[in-house]
Each structure stands twice: as structure tokens, then as C-alpha cells.
Amino acid sequence: MVTKTAKKEADVKKKIQKEESRPGTARPSEGDAVSKELTKGGEEISIIKLVDNLVESAFHSRASDIHIDPAEKQISVRFRIDGVLHDFYTFPKEIQSEVISRVKVLSGLRTDEHQAAQDGRFRLTFSGVNVDVRVSVAPTYYGENTVMRLLADQAESYTLETLGFQGRDLDVVKRNITKPYGMLLATGPTGSGKTTTLYTILKMLNTKEVSIITIEDPVEYAIGGIEQIQVNTRTGLTFASGLRSILRQDPNIVMVGEIRDEEAAGIAVNAALTGHLLLSTLHTNDAATTLPRLLDMGIEPFLIASTVNIAIGQRLVRKICDGCKTKKDITADELKSLATVLPVKVLDDYRTFYYGAGCAQCDHSGYKGRIGIHEVMEIDDEVRLALMKGADASEIKKIAIKNGMTTMVEDGFRKAIEGVTTIEEILRVIHD
């Protein structure tokens, strides 16, 4: 087997392939630092500068993730911008091991381990903003791949309004986070902004009068005045064991990054019953499915009914770029097509919508930034009674809608009418 040193010596003697990017996707300028580094001769290439410049390029491109994917003859580097992956660079295969090793060194991972998945993190600073980079390395058929998630300080500036909560949803959330005990659950698939919603609520609740402790996997943002604990399965620190320890430290508010199993669910419910406000996330498709999901985890119906205050279902949609926002009137055929996926009462008489024509500000995508679409289900007496009678998710959803809940589809449609996003984006994200 070729040693790391021998491999590096062989690599630097080979010419670095010039960066190229697939047409039709977001792409860097020809003069950017990564492209310049890639055009240098073999011995002049600096892997340290290349990796640093790659993260900085992703930061300035508003990317949330960097994917370094090895193939047979090259390495594809893609950025996830506003939830969509774009090809950005192509690295030569010859520098694959050096790039991965540099990321491992930054993250404090083992550089001699190539057959096991590893997770780590590091921090860089660009334009005065601290950027925490969460790293995941995993072995694949063509060598190790790397995914880096960028978590910037600016996330602390979010409010419920900037996250997309409005009207009744905003009122319900604000009213329920002031309750001294009970559970507040954010639900949705991976990457739907659940943790950001909980962090925003924690920031609102963070005062000197209360003790807030979190247990997370991983800790995504550091918040002053809050005790944050990182899950570590190697030492036996799981969500369940960590939650037990937290409750012995007399907190007022507890955040559990995710309720994954029956043990964690049981402890979380008991915490909410004994005078704690508990925030957590669940992987469910919508707010109404939250209650049956807890039943599946072995929680008794009466315990769920007496502890859960609200369940928030959410997704993230791309926002129309303000620089190229354009009005459009939908045709009769388009309206007919929409009627098959949107309730008639939602469509009403709305015919004018908006789209992004594409400009330099948004790399001609028509979108810039993302915002949440939500449904906030408040657990009222009627929902509790239905749960105790064994109602399924569809029955619970009907009751919640009757009592005023706005569905994600309706919230998304409202934002499309206001020109915040497009109909196409709502339909892309929500699969009813």
C-alpha cells in the first residue's frame, strides 16, 4: 500500500487539471482564488490555501454545504445554495488524498483511518464573520468523500418573523413559548430548518432569570448564557442519558436536539410533566403526525395530551430574488392544473403571481435566500379528546384545520401571492 508521504510526492509532480464546471449551473468566476490555485503547476499548488479558499468561496456564495465527491478520474465539488446542489469545481484525482487529509487535520480527525466514517468540526473567519464548519468523512468506492456544513454567526440574528412565521402561527408560537412547562415540537425532514427555529425560540427565552440547558448532536451554534452539551456515543452520552443528567441540574428550559427513540421520548415527556418547558424535534411529515408518532414510541395517549403544547410542521422554500422579481398572470390551463393539487378554497380568485427572471444578484437562478413555510398545531381540548379516543393523523389534522390551523400548503400559497416565493417552489417542496 502506498504511504501518505510517497503518495504526496507523486501527486505534486503531476500537473493540476484546470477547473471546469458543467454549463447551466451556478459557477465561480474565472478569477476566483480556488480556480487560480488549480491552474498552478504541480509543485506550486498549496493544498492549505486550496481548502481555505474553497470554504471561503462557499461562504461568499451563500452555500450551506460543500460536497467533495470522488469519481473514477476526478473529484466533483458541489455547493448547496438555497437547498439546491450546483457543480462548482472539478479537482484532479491526484490531489484527492491531500485535500481529504487537510480537511481531517483541520477537524481533528484521524488521517490514517480510511475505512471508517468520521465526524468533526473546525472554525474559520471571513469578512469578520466566524464560520463553524461541520465535517463528515465517509469511505466510498472511489475513496473518501467529504461533506462540510457551514454554520455562520449570522444565524443568531434570526427572529420568528424573518423565519417566515406570520399571522395566527406567529401568535400561537409566541403565546405557547411563555408557558412554564410542556413540550414544543418542531417537525419535518432533515434540512427543513427545525433546529434554527428552536435556536430562535431559545434566544427569545434566554434571560438571566431562567436556566436553559441543551443536549445536541452536534451543537450547531454557540449561544451565550445557555449550557450546551454535545452528544458523545463513545462515552455513553446519548440524548436519553444526557437528558437524565440535565434534569438533575435544575433547569427551567430544556432543548433536546432530537427525540429518536422510546427512551428519550419517555424522559422528555416526564420532564415536561414535572414543570419544565421542553423543546425538541421529530422527523414527521406534518404537525398532525407528531402525536401518533409519539404513540408509536410507546407514550401513553393521556401523557401526550397533557404535555404537548404545540407541534410545528415546516419546510424551507427558496425566496424570489428582489433584483429580478417579475409579475405573471397564470393561464386557465395552469389554474386547472393547480386545482388538482391545491384546495379550491385556497386558490380562490388569485391569478397574479411572481417569479424571478434571473439576474446577476442571484446567478440567474431567479431565487436568493430561503424562508420557512409552516403549520402550527395547538393542542386544544378537542385535539386532546380525539387523541384519547385513538384518532389517527388525518382526523387530528381535520380538527386542527377546523379550529384555525393554517396548513403548510396554505402558508406557502399565501407567501406566493405576496411575492415571497413561487408556486413552483411550493409544489417542489411539498408532496401531498
Side-chain angles (χ1 to χ4, degrees), residues 116-157:
Q118 298 188 71
D119 298 305
R121 67 190 303 153
F122 61 91
R123 170 176 284 195
L124 296 174
T125 302
F126 307 117
S127 305
V129 178
N130 291 324
V131 181
D132 283 310
V133 183
R134 198 170 79 202
V135 177
S136 174
V137 179
T140 70
Y141 185 75
Y142 290 114
E144 292 173 290
N145 83 328
T146 300
V147 176
M148 294 184 277
R149 170 154 290 185
L150 278 59
L151 306 163
D153 282 348
Q154 59 213 38
E156 295 184 6
S157 64

Side-chain angles (χ1 to χ4, degrees), residues 24-43:
T25 62
R27 55 193 305 167
S29 64
E30 294 180 1
D32 86 345
V34 177
S35 298
K36 285 180 178 179
E37 199 66 44
L38 288 170
T39 59
K40 291 181 179 179
E43 293 187 358

Side-chain angles (χ1 to χ4, degrees), residues 7-8 11 93-102:
K7 175 68 174 170
K8 183 173 182 179
D11 288 343
K93 187 72 173 177
E94 290 77 14
I95 65 169
Q96 177 177 327
S97 63
E98 292 179 273
V99 169
I100 302 300
S101 292
R102 175 58 185 165

